[in-house]
Amino acid sequence: SQLAEENSWALSVHEGESVTVNCSYKTSITALQWYRQKSGKGPAQLILIRSNERENRNGRLRATLDTSSQSSSLSITATRCEDTAVYFCAMNNNAGAKLTFGGGTRLTVRP
Amino acid sequence: GALVYQYPRRTICKSGTSMRMECQAVGFQATSVAWYRQSPQKTFELIALSTVNSAIKYEQNFTQEKFPISHPNLSFSSMTVLNAYLEDRGLYLCGAREGGRDTQYFGPGTRLLVL
């Protein structure tokens, strides 16, 4: 089983709606990052949240971290069609530069 | 801003042949470079982590004999896939990081097709 995994394989919303992607992990972490990968491109970091933080925001994005339940969420408000992508959570563990990615959640935002 | 370029973007090679892919960091110093493979069936598989002035660390199931990596300076890394076969197909991603920072900047990937 994966060390990090998103809880939904695919989500679909209408433009303007809000959506939340969840992630659970199984090892200790120093930080958790959310990445977005659009078709034909490499992943791009959206938010980084450290293990001593509970929440972090970046514009329309909000990430939470619950180390007791080993879970994280990424919420997107007022979604736009260009938010359509695959969203990954990725963990930094004590090994430093190594990132462990979840399986990804494909988000489709429809007009 | 920090950018990572990868080339070629796409390559096709015959089974049993080898191909080399390159990764270039612009706008920051790529102290460490991680090479991943992303296939439709799996998420990211970390192949190896290279840190300048340190030994390259390969993950289980990946070896230097199969995926030799060069990381000669703070802006460039290359990896070769030797004797490529069908199971080596996928999108090879380079993720570069500066110093002790947590953010990895990824290139667009090199898509390898093996015939």
Side-chain angles (χ1 to χ4, degrees):
Chain A
S1 60
Q2 297 184 65
L3 293 177
E5 54 188 9
E6 292 79 6
N7 296 349
S8 299
W9 185 75
L11 294 170
S12 180
V13 297
H14 284 290
E15 198 170 23
E17 295 178 339
S18 297
V19 67
T20 298
V21 180
N22 295 299
C23 166
S24 57
Y25 58 92
K26 299 181 179 180
T27 65
S28 62
I29 63 170
T30 56
L32 187 142
Q33 304 183 44
W34 284 95
Y35 281 82
R36 176 174 65 192
Q37 186 177 24
K38 295 192 174 184
S39 179
K41 296 190 176 182
Q45 189 201 54
L46 298 174
I47 287 183
L48 181 150
I49 184 165
R50 301 194 185 283
S51 58
N52 61 351
E53 297 176 322
R54 293 296 170 260
E55 178 181 301
N56 210 347
R57 292 175 183 265
N58 179 10
R60 295 182 294 113
L61 308 176
R62 172 178 172 260
T64 64
L65 180 65
D66 185 340
T67 52
S68 61
S69 62
Q70 295 188 308
S71 63
S72 175
S73 70
L74 175 71
S75 297
I76 308 174
T77 57
T79 54
R80 305 167 182 169
C81 289
E82 53 262 38
D83 294 328
T84 294
V86 180
Y87 290 79
F88 294 91
C89 63
M91 307 183 304
N92 291 96
N93 57 22
N94 294 327
K98 180 177 177 179
L99 271 183
T100 301
F101 282 83
T105 294
R106 183 173 298 277
L107 173 65
T108 302
V109 181
R110 296 167 289 164
Chain B
L3 293 171
V4 175
Y5 296 97
Q6 287 187 254
Y7 32 90
R9 292 292 305 274
R10 180 185 173 100
T11 184
I12 302 173
C13 66
K14 290 184 178 180
S15 183
T17 63
S18 302
M19 70 82 53
R20 180 171 178 264
M21 56 190 74
E22 300 181 345
C23 171
Q24 183 164 16
V26 176
F28 69 105
Q29 294 184 327
T31 311
S32 66
V33 172
W35 285 93
Y36 297 84
R37 181 171 65 197
Q38 187 181 29
S39 64
Q41 296 78 25
K42 300 178 182 179
T43 186
F44 300 86
E45 294 180 280
L46 177 63
I47 297 170
L49 179 63
S50 172
T51 304
V52 171
N53 298 326
S54 295
I56 297 172
K57 296 180 182 179
Y58 284 84
E59 290 293 294
Q60 195 173 8
N61 301 324
F62 296 97
T63 65
Q64 183 181 4
E65 290 71 32
K66 173 72 174 177
F67 300 95
I69 290 170
S70 172
H71 188 184
N73 55 53
L74 293 172
S75 63
F76 182 82
S77 177
S78 67
M79 184 177 75
T80 301
V81 181
L82 296 174
N83 299 318
Y85 289 99
L86 288 176
E87 57 265 29
D88 296 319
R89 291 174 301 176
L91 181 68
Y92 287 81
L93 290 161
C94 154
R97 199 177 71 120
E98 181 173 34
R101 301 188 179 191
D102 292 310
T103 299
Q104 276 194 1
Y105 299 101
F106 284 87
T110 293
R111 185 166 297 281
L112 173 62
L113 298 174
V114 182
L115 302 179

